[in-house]
Amino acid sequence: MTKKKITSRPGFFGTIKHYDSHGNKIGESRPGLFGTMNHYDSKGHKVGSSVPGLFGSTSHRDAAGHKVGSSQVGFFSTHHYGSKGNEVGTTEPGFFGSKKTEWDP
């Protein structure tokens, strides 16, 4: 299966806009309370959230609040893991505060 590529760019007031490899907006993340990030699809429907953990980790949850994965910050990239602990992708820094993510859906 082909890896998907996403570019995430910072916006105003802590928002982050997400684009596919063709430059189409596929979603947006907005800050919530206590360091959480709420994630929305391109139509503005909430699809999940991320909650910071210990030692640079992040727990990812779907819209119903079920844990669907986690992320761990490394030296040069952030590694993303599925609900079973298998690595599903990585994020690396891009230009002007953007980030490039590759993952296996």
Side-chain angles (χ1 to χ4, degrees):
M1 184 174 276
T2 306
K3 287 191 174 192
K4 293 204 176 207
K5 296 180 182 185
I6 293 177
T7 299
S8 301
R9 296 186 182 110
F12 295 110
F13 307 109
T15 63
I16 301 170
K17 297 186 186 297
H18 308 288
Y19 301 90
D20 65 12
S21 59
H22 302 291
N24 301 313
K25 183 179 173 184
I26 58 171
E28 184 173 309
S29 297
R30 300 179 201 144
L33 298 175
F34 307 111
T36 63
M37 286 296 280
N38 295 310
H39 309 295
Y40 301 87
D41 64 14
S42 61
K43 296 179 181 172
H45 300 107
K46 186 174 179 179
V47 294
S49 62
S50 298
V51 180
L54 299 176
F55 307 112
S57 68
T58 304
S59 175
H60 305 291
R61 303 192 175 275
D62 63 15
H66 301 106
K67 185 174 179 180
V68 294
S70 62
S71 298
Q72 182 66 46
V73 176
F75 285 108
F76 300 108
S77 62
T78 300
H79 300 274
H80 306 289
Y81 302 93
S83 60
K84 296 179 181 169
N86 54 320
E87 187 168 354
V88 295
T90 58
T91 298
E92 296 179 352
F95 296 107
F96 304 110
S98 68
K99 294 184 178 187
K100 306 281 185 181
T101 302
E102 285 190 6
W103 93 98
D104 288 320

XYZ file of all heavy atoms in Angstrom:
800
model
N 0.842 -1.171 0.000
C 0.000 0.000 0.000
C 0.891 1.239 0.000
O 1.940 1.274 0.612
C -0.912 -0.019 1.227
C -1.885 1.124 1.252
S -3.072 1.017 2.595
C -4.270 -0.044 1.834
N 0.458 2.276 -0.685
C 1.213 3.506 -0.803
C 1.104 4.356 0.453
O 0.030 4.485 1.024
C 0.675 4.331 -1.993
O 0.673 3.520 -3.153
C 1.525 5.540 -2.231
N 2.226 4.924 0.843
C 2.206 5.829 1.999
C 1.530 7.126 1.587
O 1.712 7.613 0.484
C 3.620 6.109 2.484
C 4.240 4.956 3.192
C 5.515 5.383 3.859
C 6.038 4.246 4.692
N 7.091 4.658 5.584
N 0.738 7.689 2.506
C 0.092 8.975 2.269
C 0.982 10.071 2.827
O 1.695 9.867 3.797
C -1.280 9.012 2.930
C -2.241 8.061 2.284
C -3.647 8.482 2.521
C -4.548 7.537 1.758
N -5.786 8.152 1.395
N 0.913 11.236 2.204
C 1.736 12.366 2.628
C 0.830 13.538 2.969
O -0.100 13.853 2.239
C 2.706 12.754 1.530
C 3.699 11.653 1.230
C 4.660 12.040 0.143
C 5.589 10.868 -0.140
N 6.631 11.190 -1.084
N 1.130 14.176 4.100
C 0.371 15.330 4.563
C 1.362 16.441 4.902
O 2.405 16.192 5.487
C -0.446 14.994 5.821
C -1.539 14.007 5.485
C -1.035 16.249 6.435
C -2.340 13.580 6.690
N 0.997 17.663 4.532
C 1.752 18.840 4.948
C 0.882 19.617 5.919
O -0.286 19.873 5.635
C 2.107 19.726 3.739
O 2.916 18.981 2.840
C 2.867 20.973 4.182
N 1.423 19.950 7.071
C 0.694 20.709 8.093
C 1.365 22.062 8.262
O 2.576 22.141 8.432
C 0.703 19.953 9.419
O 0.103 18.692 9.262
N 0.550 23.125 8.190
C 1.081 24.482 8.295
C 0.405 25.226 9.441
O -0.811 25.156 9.586
C 0.836 25.241 6.999
C 1.573 24.650 5.829
C 1.411 25.512 4.589
N 2.086 24.898 3.464
C 1.462 24.360 2.424
N 0.163 24.400 2.340
N 2.151 23.806 1.459
N 1.203 25.953 10.239
C 0.609 26.720 11.340
C -0.238 27.867 10.815
O 0.074 28.462 9.784
C 1.823 27.232 12.114
C 2.965 27.177 11.162
C 2.648 26.105 10.166
N -1.333 28.144 11.531
C -2.210 29.255 11.194
C -2.278 30.224 12.366
O -1.409 30.245 13.222
N -3.334 31.008 12.419
C -3.507 31.979 13.489
C -4.066 31.327 14.742
O -4.803 30.345 14.671
C -4.447 33.100 13.024
C -3.871 33.916 11.904
C -4.399 33.832 10.630
C -2.784 34.748 12.117
C -3.868 34.578 9.587
C -2.237 35.498 11.085
C -2.794 35.413 9.820
N -3.730 31.896 15.902
C -4.273 31.489 17.197
C -4.039 30.014 17.516
O -4.859 29.361 18.134
C -5.769 31.817 17.282
C -6.080 33.240 16.961
C -6.731 33.578 15.793
C -5.683 34.261 17.825
C -7.011 34.902 15.491
C -5.959 35.584 17.526
C -6.627 35.910 16.354
N -2.906 29.456 17.049
C -2.554 28.087 17.377
C -3.169 27.023 16.488
O -2.980 25.838 16.722
N -3.921 27.416 15.455
C -4.511 26.418 14.562
C -3.439 25.838 13.645
O -2.398 26.454 13.406
C -5.642 27.015 13.700
O -5.084 28.023 12.860
C -6.762 27.569 14.552
N -3.699 24.646 13.130
C -2.819 23.995 12.174
C -3.698 23.483 11.043
O -4.676 22.771 11.277
C -2.056 22.823 12.813
C -1.219 23.319 13.999
C -1.167 22.136 11.781
C -0.633 22.203 14.835
N -3.361 23.847 9.808
C -4.130 23.401 8.649
C -3.376 22.252 7.979
O -2.160 22.296 7.833
C -4.350 24.555 7.691
C -5.180 25.668 8.332
C -5.526 26.740 7.345
C -6.220 27.903 7.986
N -7.460 27.676 8.595
N -4.120 21.213 7.563
C -3.527 20.004 6.984
C -3.923 19.888 5.505
O -5.088 20.070 5.162
C -4.009 18.770 7.744
C -3.816 18.876 9.221
N -2.579 18.811 9.822
C -4.705 19.064 10.224
C -2.716 18.938 11.136
N -4.006 19.105 11.399
N -2.922 19.562 4.660
C -3.128 19.462 3.218
C -2.603 18.126 2.703
O -1.594 17.619 3.199
C -2.383 20.598 2.502
C -2.828 21.966 2.950
C -2.206 22.601 4.018
C -3.871 22.617 2.322
C -2.609 23.852 4.444
C -4.290 23.877 2.745
C -3.658 24.484 3.806
O -4.069 25.712 4.234
N -3.268 17.568 1.673
C -2.787 16.324 1.069
C -1.652 16.644 0.097
O -1.252 17.804 -0.058
C -3.926 15.554 0.405
C -4.546 16.260 -0.791
O -3.979 17.259 -1.300
O -5.620 15.817 -1.226
N -1.142 15.628 -0.581
C 0.010 15.812 -1.472
C -0.325 16.656 -2.703
O 0.569 17.112 -3.399
C 0.554 14.454 -1.901
O -0.447 13.711 -2.565
N -1.624 16.884 -2.953
C -2.043 17.711 -4.089
C -2.353 19.147 -3.673
O -2.779 19.953 -4.487
C -3.277 17.108 -4.758
C -3.054 15.717 -5.239
N -2.232 15.411 -6.292
C -3.531 14.536 -4.781
C -2.218 14.096 -6.484
N -2.993 13.540 -5.570
N -2.181 19.469 -2.388
C -2.439 20.811 -1.899
C -3.874 21.075 -1.482
O -4.236 22.205 -1.180
N -4.713 20.033 -1.457
C -6.104 20.185 -1.027
C -6.186 20.139 0.490
O -5.590 19.268 1.117
C -6.972 19.063 -1.605
C -6.932 19.051 -3.108
O -7.079 20.075 -3.752
N -6.720 17.868 -3.670
N -6.949 21.071 1.075
C -7.116 21.074 2.531
C -7.934 19.852 2.934
O -9.022 19.620 2.419
C -7.821 22.350 2.998
C -7.946 22.428 4.503
C -8.636 23.709 4.936
C -8.901 23.669 6.430
N -9.656 24.839 6.872
N -7.381 19.060 3.862
C -8.084 17.856 4.307
C -8.518 17.941 5.763
O -9.230 17.072 6.247
C -7.223 16.589 4.100
C -5.897 16.710 4.845
C -7.001 16.338 2.621
C -5.090 15.447 4.870
N -8.099 18.999 6.464
C -8.505 19.127 7.851
C -7.813 20.272 8.551
O -7.036 21.018 7.954
N -8.149 20.394 9.828
C -7.607 21.467 10.654
C -7.567 20.999 12.099
O -8.413 20.225 12.525
C -8.526 22.685 10.522
C -8.047 23.899 11.255
C -8.917 25.103 10.949
O -9.148 25.399 9.762
O -9.368 25.739 11.923
N -6.563 21.452 12.825
C -6.456 21.166 14.253
C -6.501 22.488 15.006
O -5.871 23.466 14.586
C -5.151 20.433 14.567
O -5.125 19.184 13.909
N -7.257 22.506 16.100
C -7.404 23.728 16.901
C -7.095 23.408 18.352
O -7.470 22.346 18.857
C -8.832 24.251 16.804
C -9.262 24.601 15.419
C -10.698 25.080 15.409
N -11.239 24.936 14.070
C -12.486 24.598 13.798
N -13.345 24.370 14.765
N -12.882 24.491 12.557
N -6.420 24.343 19.044
C -6.098 24.096 20.449
C -7.352 24.016 21.309
O -8.331 24.722 21.067
C -5.236 25.291 20.847
C -5.353 26.290 19.759
C -5.942 25.619 18.563
N -7.308 23.133 22.299
C -8.381 22.996 23.279
C -7.855 23.350 24.658
O -6.846 24.034 24.796
N -8.508 22.861 25.672
C -8.107 23.138 27.045
C -6.963 22.231 27.492
O -6.856 21.090 27.050
C -9.296 22.941 27.979
C -10.492 23.860 27.739
C -11.640 23.472 28.650
C -10.098 25.306 27.969
N -6.122 22.734 28.366
C -5.056 21.962 29.017
C -4.101 21.295 28.026
O -3.638 20.182 28.243
C -5.641 20.924 29.967
C -6.611 21.502 30.952
C -7.965 21.209 30.868
C -6.179 22.366 31.945
C -8.867 21.755 31.769
C -7.076 22.926 32.840
C -8.427 22.618 32.755
N -3.809 21.960 26.907
C -2.829 21.457 25.951
C -3.365 20.479 24.925
O -2.601 19.976 24.108
N -4.654 20.188 24.942
C -5.208 19.261 23.950
C -5.318 19.943 22.586
O -5.323 21.170 22.488
C -6.611 18.751 24.353
O -7.497 19.869 24.394
C -6.585 18.041 25.680
N -5.393 19.151 21.536
C -5.663 19.643 20.185
C -6.895 18.904 19.692
O -6.976 17.672 19.806
C -4.503 19.365 19.240
C -3.296 20.246 19.439
S -3.589 21.999 19.118
C -3.493 22.069 17.361
N -7.854 19.644 19.163
C -9.057 19.050 18.588
C -8.896 19.024 17.077
O -8.473 20.015 16.476
C -10.294 19.855 18.991
C -10.524 19.784 20.477
O -10.530 18.718 21.066
N -10.682 20.941 21.107
N -9.230 17.898 16.450
C -9.015 17.695 15.021
C -10.352 17.655 14.284
O -11.297 17.012 14.741
C -8.242 16.407 14.787
C -6.992 16.312 15.605
N -5.919 17.163 15.431
C -6.655 15.500 16.629
C -4.973 16.848 16.299
N -5.405 15.844 17.044
N -10.380 18.329 13.118
C -11.591 18.453 12.316
C -11.289 18.070 10.871
O -10.188 18.312 10.378
C -12.117 19.882 12.371
C -12.432 20.326 13.786
C -11.450 20.884 14.592
C -13.698 20.151 14.312
C -11.721 21.266 15.894
C -13.983 20.535 15.623
C -12.991 21.094 16.400
O -13.269 21.459 17.694
N -12.289 17.496 10.181
C -12.110 17.182 8.768
C -12.307 18.446 7.931
O -12.544 19.531 8.469
C -13.030 16.046 8.333
C -14.513 16.371 8.410
O -14.880 17.556 8.542
O -15.316 15.425 8.320
N -12.243 18.329 6.620
C -12.335 19.494 5.742
C -13.704 20.170 5.793
O -13.834 21.325 5.399
C -12.008 19.098 4.307
O -12.937 18.137 3.845
N -14.718 19.468 6.288
C -16.063 20.035 6.385
C -16.352 20.601 7.767
O -17.456 21.053 8.036
C -17.094 18.979 6.023
C -16.975 18.526 4.583
C -17.972 17.461 4.235
C -17.757 17.047 2.795
N -18.547 15.903 2.427
N -15.375 20.547 8.672
C -15.538 21.120 9.997
C -16.105 20.182 11.043
O -16.402 20.603 12.156
N -16.232 18.877 10.715
C -16.729 17.893 11.685
C -15.584 17.397 12.553
O -14.515 17.048 12.037
C -17.367 16.700 10.972
C -18.529 17.090 10.122
N -18.449 17.114 8.750
C -19.777 17.475 10.448
C -19.611 17.493 8.264
N -20.440 17.729 9.276
N -15.788 17.345 13.858
C -14.741 16.879 14.757
C -14.508 15.385 14.537
O -15.445 14.592 14.545
C -15.120 17.128 16.219
C -14.000 16.790 17.174
C -14.325 17.166 18.606
C -13.167 16.786 19.508
N -13.406 17.147 20.897
N -13.239 15.012 14.336
C -12.884 13.615 14.096
C -12.022 13.035 15.204
O -11.779 11.829 15.226
C -12.184 13.429 12.729
C -13.144 13.748 11.593
C -10.930 14.286 12.633
N -11.550 13.875 16.135
C -10.744 13.352 17.225
C -10.025 14.434 17.985
O -10.263 15.632 17.792
N -9.122 13.988 18.861
C -8.329 14.911 19.666
C -7.016 14.258 20.047
O -6.859 13.041 19.959
C -9.099 15.324 20.923
O -9.367 14.199 21.719
N -6.078 15.086 20.468
C -4.777 14.612 20.937
C -4.515 15.216 22.305
O -4.744 16.405 22.513
C -3.662 15.030 19.980
O -3.862 14.444 18.711
N -4.019 14.381 23.221
C -3.776 14.797 24.595
C -2.302 14.575 24.912
O -1.783 13.475 24.695
C -4.651 13.973 25.572
C -4.413 14.401 27.000
C -6.118 14.083 25.201
N -1.594 15.602 25.403
C -0.178 15.421 25.732
C 0.015 14.449 26.893
O -0.809 14.397 27.804
C 0.306 16.821 26.096
C -0.910 17.594 26.422
C -2.060 16.947 25.708
N 1.097 13.674 26.812
C 1.437 12.736 27.874
C 2.801 13.071 28.446
O 3.294 14.192 28.307
N 3.431 12.101 29.038
C 4.743 12.292 29.652
C 5.872 12.119 28.640
O 5.748 11.375 27.679
C 4.930 11.284 30.781
C 3.925 11.368 31.931
C 4.171 10.245 32.914
C 4.033 12.719 32.615
N 6.972 12.820 28.879
C 8.209 12.661 28.116
C 8.021 12.871 26.619
O 8.591 12.160 25.804
C 8.843 11.291 28.380
C 9.029 10.995 29.832
C 8.277 9.999 30.448
C 9.920 11.726 30.600
C 8.433 9.722 31.794
C 10.080 11.455 31.944
C 9.337 10.454 32.545
N 7.178 13.835 26.235
C 6.993 14.165 24.825
C 6.031 13.274 24.076
O 5.927 13.376 22.864
N 5.315 12.412 24.766
C 4.360 11.542 24.077
C 3.006 12.243 23.929
O 2.717 13.217 24.613
C 4.180 10.231 24.840
O 3.525 10.472 26.071
N 2.209 11.746 23.003
C 0.865 12.256 22.778
C -0.059 11.081 22.548
O 0.286 10.140 21.835
C 0.835 13.173 21.531
O 1.779 14.220 21.700
C -0.542 13.769 21.319
N -1.241 11.118 23.151
C -2.257 10.086 22.978
C -3.324 10.624 22.037
O -3.818 11.736 22.222
C -2.866 9.734 24.340
O -3.914 8.821 24.191
N -3.678 9.838 21.012
C -4.669 10.256 20.015
C -5.974 9.496 20.232
O -5.960 8.288 20.448
C -4.141 10.001 18.608
C -2.820 10.645 18.361
N -2.659 12.005 18.264
C -1.579 10.110 18.223
C -1.384 12.286 18.060
N -0.709 11.148 18.038
N -7.094 10.226 20.158
C -8.414 9.642 20.394
C -9.346 9.995 19.247
O -9.203 11.053 18.628
C -8.969 10.141 21.710
C -8.021 9.813 22.872
C -8.636 10.020 24.221
N -7.724 9.587 25.262
C -7.609 8.329 25.695
N -8.344 7.395 25.182
N -6.752 8.023 26.648
N -10.307 9.108 18.964
C -11.294 9.407 17.935
C -12.378 10.305 18.510
O -12.318 10.703 19.683
C -11.867 8.121 17.328
C -12.625 7.250 18.313
O -12.989 7.720 19.414
O -12.878 6.084 17.975
N -13.388 10.637 17.722
C -14.442 11.558 18.157
C -15.235 11.013 19.335
O -15.794 11.777 20.118
C -15.369 11.868 16.990
N -15.266 9.682 19.501
C -15.988 9.062 20.617
C -15.127 8.951 21.874
O -15.597 8.496 22.918
C -16.491 7.680 20.213
N -13.849 9.331 21.781
C -12.966 9.291 22.938
C -12.163 8.015 23.092
O -11.446 7.850 24.076
N -12.232 7.107 22.113
C -11.468 5.859 22.177
C -10.039 6.089 21.684
O -9.830 6.756 20.664
C -12.123 4.780 21.318
C -13.522 4.486 21.721
N -14.599 4.904 20.985
C -14.015 3.848 22.805
C -15.714 4.515 21.581
N -15.386 3.882 22.693
N -9.063 5.526 22.381
C -7.660 5.683 21.987
C -7.417 4.955 20.670
O -7.737 3.784 20.524
C -6.724 5.144 23.065
C -5.274 5.409 22.749
C -4.343 5.006 23.878
C -2.911 5.278 23.461
N -1.965 4.924 24.490
N -6.854 5.682 19.701
C -6.582 5.099 18.390
C -5.095 5.097 18.052
O -4.710 4.574 17.009
C -7.370 5.822 17.276
C -8.862 5.598 17.441
C -7.054 7.299 17.245
N -4.267 5.672 18.915
C -2.839 5.673 18.656
C -2.091 6.606 19.580
O -2.665 7.184 20.509
N -0.797 6.739 19.299
C 0.051 7.614 20.097
C 1.209 8.100 19.240
O 1.454 7.575 18.149
C 0.586 6.874 21.322
O 1.390 5.779 20.916
N 1.901 9.111 19.729
C 3.081 9.648 19.060
C 4.171 9.859 20.091
O 3.890 10.141 21.255
C 2.769 10.988 18.387
O 1.802 10.833 17.393
N 5.413 9.727 19.648
C 6.558 9.919 20.522
C 7.580 10.773 19.780
O 7.978 10.434 18.669
C 7.177 8.580 20.913
C 8.348 8.695 21.859
C 7.926 9.230 23.221
O 6.940 8.789 23.794
N 8.673 10.181 23.731
N 8.000 11.867 20.411
C 8.986 12.761 19.812
C 10.359 12.129 19.907
O 10.770 11.650 20.966
C 8.974 14.135 20.531
C 10.060 15.046 19.971
C 7.615 14.781 20.411
N 11.068 12.106 18.772
C 12.439 11.621 18.726
C 13.391 12.786 18.502
O 13.001 13.952 18.591
N 14.659 12.505 18.191
C 15.645 13.561 17.995
C 15.386 14.368 16.734
O 15.496 15.583 16.732
C 17.064 12.976 17.948
C 17.565 12.563 19.300
C 17.673 11.225 19.614
C 17.908 13.513 20.243
C 18.127 10.833 20.858
C 18.359 13.136 21.499
C 18.467 11.783 21.803
N 15.049 13.700 15.636
C 14.888 14.383 14.357
C 13.482 14.288 13.788
O 13.171 14.941 12.802
C 15.881 13.821 13.338
C 17.304 13.986 13.776
C 18.034 12.890 14.191
C 17.911 15.231 13.785
C 19.348 13.023 14.609
C 19.225 15.381 14.204
C 19.947 14.277 14.614
N 12.631 13.452 14.370
C 11.272 13.284 13.864
C 10.356 12.788 14.976
O 10.819 12.416 16.051
C 11.258 12.295 12.693
O 11.705 11.021 13.118
N 9.076 12.811 14.703
C 8.078 12.272 15.618
C 7.555 10.977 15.023
O 7.221 10.922 13.836
C 6.907 13.267 15.806
O 7.435 14.485 16.336
C 5.857 12.715 16.743
N 7.502 9.912 15.821
C 7.039 8.611 15.365
C 5.600 8.399 15.831
O 5.263 8.684 16.973
C 7.946 7.507 15.919
C 9.361 7.663 15.467
N 9.815 7.150 14.283
C 10.407 8.318 16.024
C 11.085 7.460 14.129
N 11.477 8.181 15.183
N 4.760 7.899 14.918
C 3.343 7.676 15.209
C 3.062 6.171 15.251
O 3.551 5.424 14.406
C 2.478 8.339 14.137
C 2.804 9.789 13.946
N 2.495 10.755 14.875
C 3.452 10.434 12.940
C 2.908 11.924 14.438
N 3.508 11.754 13.273
N 2.264 5.766 16.228
C 1.965 4.363 16.447
C 0.456 4.149 16.444
O -0.309 4.987 16.921
C 2.547 3.900 17.785
C 4.036 4.119 17.855
C 4.565 5.283 18.393
C 4.911 3.171 17.347
C 5.934 5.498 18.428
C 6.283 3.374 17.370
C 6.787 4.543 17.916
O 8.141 4.753 17.939
N 0.020 2.993 15.922
C -1.392 2.639 15.911
C -1.833 2.134 17.275
O -1.045 2.066 18.225
N -3.088 1.749 17.377
C -3.652 1.299 18.658
C -2.998 0.020 19.172
O -3.041 -0.262 20.360
C -5.159 1.094 18.525
O -5.425 0.120 17.542
N -2.342 -0.738 18.289
C -1.681 -1.986 18.699
C -0.179 -1.805 18.922
O 0.542 -2.764 19.130
C -1.923 -3.065 17.656
C -3.394 -3.413 17.540
C -3.640 -4.464 16.495
C -5.130 -4.727 16.450
N -5.521 -5.528 15.325
N 0.298 -0.547 18.841
C 1.708 -0.274 19.107
C 2.617 -0.351 17.900
O 3.816 -0.129 18.016
N 2.068 -0.659 16.715
C 2.888 -0.744 15.515
C 3.117 0.657 14.931
O 2.244 1.513 14.977
C 2.218 -1.629 14.470
C 0.807 -1.182 14.162
O 0.059 -0.798 15.060
N 0.425 -1.243 12.903
N 4.320 0.903 14.428
C 4.620 2.219 13.858
C 3.866 2.380 12.546
O 3.927 1.525 11.665
C 6.119 2.396 13.620
C 6.448 3.801 13.185
C 7.935 4.119 13.207
O 8.738 3.288 13.667
O 8.279 5.216 12.760
N 3.138 3.501 12.417
C 2.328 3.745 11.223
C 2.782 4.982 10.448
O 2.302 5.215 9.347
C 0.824 3.865 11.562
C 0.288 2.546 12.083
C 0.564 4.979 12.540
N 3.695 5.779 11.006
C 4.151 6.954 10.283
C 5.167 7.775 11.039
O 5.472 7.509 12.198
N 5.690 8.784 10.336
C 6.651 9.717 10.931
C 6.346 11.138 10.459
O 5.795 11.343 9.386
C 8.101 9.375 10.536
O 8.206 9.389 9.117
C 8.538 8.045 11.078
N 6.732 12.106 11.283
C 6.609 13.517 10.936
C 7.970 14.166 11.080
O 8.659 13.956 12.074
C 5.593 14.229 11.861
O 4.315 13.630 11.679
C 5.510 15.714 11.550
N 8.348 14.957 10.073
C 9.616 15.669 10.090
C 9.364 17.153 9.850
O 8.382 17.517 9.197
C 10.545 15.113 9.009
C 10.913 13.667 9.255
C 11.813 13.093 8.171
O 12.038 13.769 7.154
O 12.281 11.979 8.362
N 10.238 18.018 10.366
C 10.068 19.454 10.155
C 10.205 19.820 8.684
O 10.980 19.200 7.951
C 11.181 20.096 10.975
C 11.914 19.007 11.639
C 11.393 17.701 11.172
N 9.447 20.834 8.258
C 9.535 21.374 6.902
C 10.011 22.814 6.963
O 10.684 23.221 7.915
N 9.634 23.616 5.983
C 10.035 25.018 5.914
C 9.009 25.922 6.583
O 7.810 25.661 6.540
C 10.202 25.444 4.457
C 11.312 24.702 3.758
C 11.014 23.731 2.823
C 12.638 24.967 4.059
C 12.030 23.040 2.185
C 13.655 24.286 3.424
C 13.352 23.319 2.482
N 9.486 27.002 7.202
C 8.646 28.044 7.787
C 7.631 27.505 8.791
O 6.473 27.902 8.801
C 7.924 28.844 6.700
C 8.859 29.447 5.700
C 8.903 28.969 4.405
C 9.716 30.479 6.063
C 9.774 29.515 3.479
C 10.594 31.039 5.143
C 10.620 30.549 3.843
N 8.044 26.555 9.619
C 7.174 26.016 10.659
C 6.253 24.906 10.199
O 5.488 24.362 10.985
N 6.305 24.538 8.916
C 5.450 23.452 8.436
C 6.047 22.110 8.849
O 7.195 22.019 9.274
C 5.287 23.515 6.919
O 6.511 23.218 6.277
N 5.241 21.060 8.742
C 5.697 19.704 9.052
C 5.216 18.771 7.950
O 4.147 18.947 7.390
C 5.147 19.251 10.398
C 5.689 20.053 11.546
C 5.220 19.548 12.867
C 5.859 20.382 13.958
N 5.596 19.861 15.280
N 6.026 17.764 7.640
C 5.708 16.774 6.621
C 5.500 15.425 7.279
O 6.356 14.946 8.018
C 6.855 16.651 5.613
C 7.270 17.950 4.978
C 6.332 18.346 3.887
C 6.853 19.587 3.191
N 5.988 20.030 2.145
N 4.344 14.811 7.045
C 4.014 13.517 7.638
C 3.819 12.487 6.545
O 3.182 12.754 5.530
C 2.719 13.621 8.488
O 2.908 14.607 9.488
C 2.368 12.285 9.113
N 4.362 11.289 6.762
C 4.121 10.128 5.898
C 3.590 9.023 6.789
O 4.122 8.794 7.860
C 5.408 9.657 5.217
C 5.866 10.523 4.097
C 6.997 9.894 3.320
O 7.359 8.713 3.595
O 7.533 10.569 2.445
N 2.537 8.339 6.340
C 2.010 7.232 7.128
C 1.318 6.226 6.244
O 0.927 6.520 5.118
C 1.078 7.755 8.224
C -0.361 7.804 7.882
C -1.308 6.874 8.216
C -1.052 8.792 7.142
N -2.530 7.243 7.729
C -2.401 8.422 7.066
C -0.673 9.972 6.524
C -3.353 9.175 6.402
C -1.622 10.717 5.874
C -2.935 10.319 5.833
N 1.203 5.017 6.756
C 0.466 3.946 6.091
C -0.940 3.916 6.664
O -1.109 3.649 7.846
C 1.139 2.574 6.355
C 2.428 2.419 5.612
O 2.501 2.842 4.451
O 3.379 1.883 6.209
N -1.945 4.218 5.835
C -3.331 4.220 6.364
C -3.798 2.830 6.753
O -3.325 1.862 6.303
C -4.146 4.771 5.219
C -3.260 4.913 4.048
C -1.873 4.590 4.450
